[in-house]
Each structure stands twice: as C-alpha cells, then as structure tokens.
Amino acid sequence: MKVLESPIMQGFMRMAQDGFDQGWHERNGGNLTYRMKREEVEQVWEDLRFDAPWQEIGASVPELAGEFFIATGSGKYFRNVMPFPEDSVAVVELDDAGEKYRICWGLVNGGRPTSELPSHLMNHQVKKKATGGRHRVIYHAHTTNVIALTFVLPLTDEAFTRELWEMATECPVVFPDGIGVVPWMVPGGHAIAVETSNLMEKYDVAVWAHHGIFCSGEDFDLTFGLAHTVEKSAEILVKTLSMTQHKRQTIQPDQFRELAKDFGVTLPERFLFEK
C-alpha cells in the first residue's frame, strides 16, 4: 500500500486540516506527530526508503528506539498538508539507540520534521510508559482563547484546571486529571521539552504560556477532541470575563464530586477547593 493510501495517513491529514479550519495554525504554526503501529508500518513498507542519512534528534528517547513516526515538517503549513502531503509531512524512523532519526518518506522538496521534534518524542516516550502504549498522538496548536487566558489567569495548574472545568459540564469528564501549565519558555528546545514531559506524566494536556496547548491521546479523534474541548471552554471563559469579573453562579465543589461519581471518573481534590 502507498503511504498516501493508508488509513493512518488519511487520518493524519484530516486532523491537520481540522486544526487549520479551527484557525489554530496560522502560517507554519503548530505541529503533529503520530507513533505508528507495527502493522501500519508493514502496510506501507514497500513505499518507504532507507537511504537517507541519520540525523540527531536533540534528545535521547531509548524507549522509542526503532519506532516509526508520522510528523509535520518544520516550516510547513498545516493548510498544505491535505493538498501537498508529500511536501508537508514525513515518515521518520528512529535508530536502535533512540538518539537519531532518518526520513523514510515525504518532505520531497527538502526540509526536516518539526523543529519541536525533541518535545514531541520526549513526550511520546512519557505517554507510552504512562498509558501502557495506548497513547500515540502528540499535538501542538495555537489555540486562540487558551493563549489569551495565559495573560490574565495565574499560570498554575490549579487556576487553569478549575476555571476551565467550570465553563462546561463535560470538561471534568473529558480531562479529569486536569491541565498542566508551562511558563513562557523558548519553543523547540530541550528545556521546554523537559518541562512539558514532566507535566505530561500527570496530564494529557499542557498549556504553553503565550503560545498554545500541547495534547496527547490514543488516536486522532480523542486528541483533537481534547484540544477542541479545552479551547471551547477557554472561549466561554473569555466571553464570561468580558462581561463580568464576578460569576453570579458556577459549578460548586460538591457538584463536581457528584458529577465524578455519576461518570466514573476521579477528580483530584486539589482542583476542587475554592480558588
């Protein structure tokens, strides 16, 4: 099977287009990676090439050694993933030490995978271990309302989690573990990768202050749905704050506990106390 004909590449392309349609990927903003299953690699094996030079990842991810990933390209536009996937996307293989990668498909006009590949791979490694291998998608988007909130809310896990939980009843069910917050850091480097991976041991979504969100999930639908839910909640909060600084009513701690019981989720008590 050709890479472009494979269901997993079709799903990758659709998610990229969905993110662009939401307005989260201006110019070359944002990036997406997927850790391929063995059978998905086998499906497209004959369409891959293995003569490209090995290149340094910029991070050591030994638990991902030998695995294959689909990744958006550095400097590439999400709006071009669907019409020009072979120029905008790469399939990469990691070496046996998990310290180098090589391009096996795509980026036909040159280039390299996303500049935030170290962050993605370090977080893939964390989420693979934390979820027993279930999580395969890492997604970074410039979600407008979340970014706006990083200028007015305290940059703490507690503040963002509680505020966003309050905005829509589904939120504690969709992200019951809460949300982590990374203070502003230079993107694409080792430091932000380490900071984010520490948070992703506990959460499936992290806010990058003044930059966007970073999400992990089992598949494209769940990961995009997580990002979409967080951003929708942030939009409601932005609209609420534009009308008043004081909510007249909101969901109370005991109501959160009741919701958690009915939906079979566990909500950390530290997010339920009054702010």
Side-chain angles (χ1 to χ4, degrees), residues 12-70:
F12 186 98
M13 292 161 58
R14 178 188 172 186
M15 182 164 169
Q17 186 64 45
D18 285 344
F20 176 75
D21 290 343
Q22 290 294 324
W24 301 342
H25 298 285
E26 75 293 336
R27 202 171 181 269
N28 63 316
N31 27 72
L32 173 64
T33 57
Y34 173 78
R35 183 169 61 87
M36 299 177 74
K37 299 177 182 178
R38 180 183 298 273
E39 58 267 28
E40 292 164 345
V41 177
E42 291 173 350
Q43 280 183 331
V44 300
W45 187 262
E46 293 184 0
D47 201 28
L48 303 179
R49 58 184 178 87
F50 300 95
D51 57 351
W54 292 102
Q55 302 181 59
E56 297 289 339
I57 293 171
S60 180
V61 286
E63 293 183 37
L64 302 178
E67 296 214 46
F68 288 75
F69 293 81
I70 306 174

Side-chain angles (χ1 to χ4, degrees), residues 49-269:
R49 58 184 178 87
F50 300 95
D51 57 351
W54 292 102
Q55 302 181 59
E56 297 289 339
I57 293 171
S60 180
V61 286
E63 293 183 37
L64 302 178
E67 296 214 46
F68 288 75
F69 293 81
I70 306 174
T72 50
S74 179
K76 303 297 183 178
Y77 293 19
F78 265 54
R79 71 185 297 266
N80 289 334
V81 169
M82 186 68 80
F84 308 114
E86 290 178 285
D87 173 67
S88 307
V89 177
V91 173
V92 301
E93 177 190 14
L94 304 195
D95 70 359
D96 290 340
E99 296 182 351
K100 297 180 180 180
Y101 74 89
R102 63 181 174 186
I103 297 171
C104 298
W105 180 92
L107 296 179
V108 294
N109 294 311
R112 58 190 178 90
T114 170
S115 61
E116 287 172 343
L117 188 65
S119 291
H120 277 249
L121 292 179
M122 288 178 68
N123 283 280
H124 272 291
Q125 179 168 258
V126 166
K127 299 308 287 188
K128 179 183 178 181
K129 181 178 180 180
T131 68
R134 295 191 310 276
H135 278 213
R136 293 185 174 275
V137 182
I138 295 288
Y139 179 45
H140 168 51
H142 296 173
T143 43
T144 309
N145 291 284
V146 171
I147 295 171
L149 290 176
T150 65
F151 291 93
V152 297
L153 291 183
L155 295 177
T156 66
D157 304 358
E158 291 79 7
F160 267 81
T161 296
R162 178 59 183 273
E163 290 286 357
L164 294 181
W165 274 1
E166 288 184 8
M167 292 302 103
T169 300
E170 70 171 321
C171 288
V173 179
V174 175
F175 48 98
D177 294 329
I179 289 177
V181 180
V182 179
W184 186 88
M185 302 179 74
V186 175
H190 184 73
I192 194 171
V194 171
E195 187 74 17
T196 306
S197 62
N198 288 337
L199 287 176
M200 296 296 271
E201 292 181 359
K202 300 181 290 184
Y203 309 117
D204 290 339
V205 55
V207 172
W208 283 355
H210 322 318
H211 188 166
I213 60 174
F214 198 83
C215 296
S216 173
E218 295 183 29
D219 57 33
F220 298 127
D221 285 344
L222 288 170
T223 311
F224 185 81
L226 174 60
H228 203 183
T229 302
V230 171
E231 171 62 5
K232 179 68 173 289
S233 183
E235 181 182 0
I236 297 169
L237 181 56
V238 167
K239 290 179 176 179
T240 301
L241 293 175
S242 73
M243 294 185 285
T244 179
Q245 295 298 308
H246 304 284
K247 306 184 191 95
R248 180 169 293 180
Q249 56 271 320
T250 188
I251 305 172
Q252 300 300 317
D254 281 343
Q255 293 173 321
F256 279 123
R257 295 183 184 104
E258 183 180 355
L259 180 72
K261 181 179 179 181
D262 283 0
F263 280 86
V265 297
T266 300
L267 303 180
E269 280 289 320

